[in-house]
Amino acid sequence: MKAKLKRLLPVLILLMGAGIWLSPALSQEYIERVADSGFTKQKRAGVPFFHDEHNEKAGVEDCYICHHVYTDGVIDPYDSSEGMECSECHLSEGDSDLSLARVYHLQCKGCHQEKKAGPVACAECHKEL
Ligand code: HEC
Ligand code: HEC
Ligand code: HEC
Ligand code: HEC
């Protein structure tokens, strides 16, 4: 019940803020799941991800950590690709779904493993149908 309310809250806020209706892209504070349009079919349950809440808890302040831009082969700390989907850069021809999932796993799970915090098992992330 509590979880359900929590999920409804962003919707209510959206309904109240008329201006938000007109904005072309969803601002990040309302993101509650990863839903990259690069995946044409879903084999796994969806991945809940409360963007701002996650990043606050995880202590990740810099956008470029996830929304990176590479300059000369390295992540540029002065640039960021926020507002772009990962698939805008990580969808290569051929087995594209696989390479896109792979970079998500490398980034999400990679940090969780490194920090020894956050989910690393499939069903801990893929749990929402
Ligand atoms: C831990 C990784 C991470 C960090 C740090 C992060 N983001 Fe995100 N952000 C994501 C993911 C994942 C998505 C959803 C991508 C999708 O579903 O296509 C997203 C989506 C967004 C979107 C929506 C883009 C769209 O396609 O609708 C915006 C805007 C955004 N983030 C801005 C920011 C800003 C600003 C910061 C820094 C204050 C930030 N993000 C930090 C992971 C992160
Ligand atoms: C503006 C383009 C761009 C966007 C958007 C982007 N990336 Fe990247 N990413 C790159 C480039 C360029 C590289 C380095 C070259 C390479 O290895 O493909 C890279 C490398 C990576 C790597 C390392 C790959 C490896 O094999 O070591 C991961 C993981 C990754 N990106 C995940 C993500 C995730 C997750 C998102 C979305 C939150 C994202 N990227 C958004 C351009 C982008
Ligand atoms: C730069 C590091 C980093 C990245 C990248 C990252 N996480 Fe996390 N994540 C954490 C940490 C640290 C925690 C533990 C926070 C705490 O203490 O509860 C966490 C916790 C979580 C949790 C547990 C619930 C919560 O919100 O606290 C989920 C679910 C989660 N991460 C999903 C993701 C997903 C999905 C991605 C990729 C889109 C991702 N994370 C990328 C560091 C990261
Ligand atoms: C730390 C979180 C995390 C863990 C752990 C994780 N995934 Fe994912 N996975 C993601 C995210 C985020 C995406 C992108 C989801 C989207 O945009 O819909 C994804 C995408 C996928 C996709 C492509 C989309 C689909 O549903 O077909 C598959 C397949 C997948 N994961 C399988 C797995 C398997 C199997 C495991 C365990 C070995 C696993 N994942 C563990 C976060 C995770």
Side-chain angles (χ1 to χ4, degrees), residues 94-109:
D95 224 351
S96 55
D97 274 15
L98 281 180
S99 53
L100 183 59
R102 187 178 161 269
V103 294
Y104 269 110
H105 292 151
L106 279 173
Q107 185 173 90
C108 306
K109 210 161 66 172

Side-chain angles (χ1 to χ4, degrees), residues 1-16 30 32-33 50:
M1 191 58 204
K2 226 174 168 183
K4 210 168 183 182
L5 273 173
K6 221 172 172 181
R7 268 195 279 142
L8 275 171
L9 200 62
V11 177
L12 289 175
I13 292 166
L14 264 180
L15 283 169
M16 288 187 294
Y30 302 115
E32 52 185 37
R33 62 179 55 78
F50 293 84

Side-chain angles (χ1 to χ4, degrees), residues 33-121:
R33 62 179 55 78
V34 186
D36 197 306
S37 65
F39 294 107
T40 46
K41 44 185 186 301
Q42 299 287 143
K43 290 182 219 82
R44 284 268 161 175
V47 180
F49 179 70
F50 293 84
H51 192 278
D52 285 9
E53 194 182 302
H54 170 275
N55 296 344
E56 208 175 292
K57 256 204 258 170
V60 200
E61 275 161 28
D62 295 317
C63 314
Y64 75 82
I65 301 280
C66 297
H67 299 288
H68 52 219
V69 171
Y70 277 70
T71 305
D72 300 329
V74 290
I75 292 176
D76 187 343
Y78 302 106
D79 207 351
S80 138
S81 55
E82 67 195 57
M84 284 175 82
E85 290 192 294
C86 310
S87 59
E88 288 180 61
C89 295
H90 287 291
L91 200 65
S92 51
E93 321 80 66
D95 224 351
S96 55
D97 274 15
L98 281 180
S99 53
L100 183 59
R102 187 178 161 269
V103 294
Y104 269 110
H105 292 151
L106 279 173
Q107 185 173 90
C108 306
K109 210 161 66 172
C111 180
H112 295 164
Q113 278 165 337
E114 194 188 302
K115 302 226 161 140
K116 298 189 175 24
V120 292

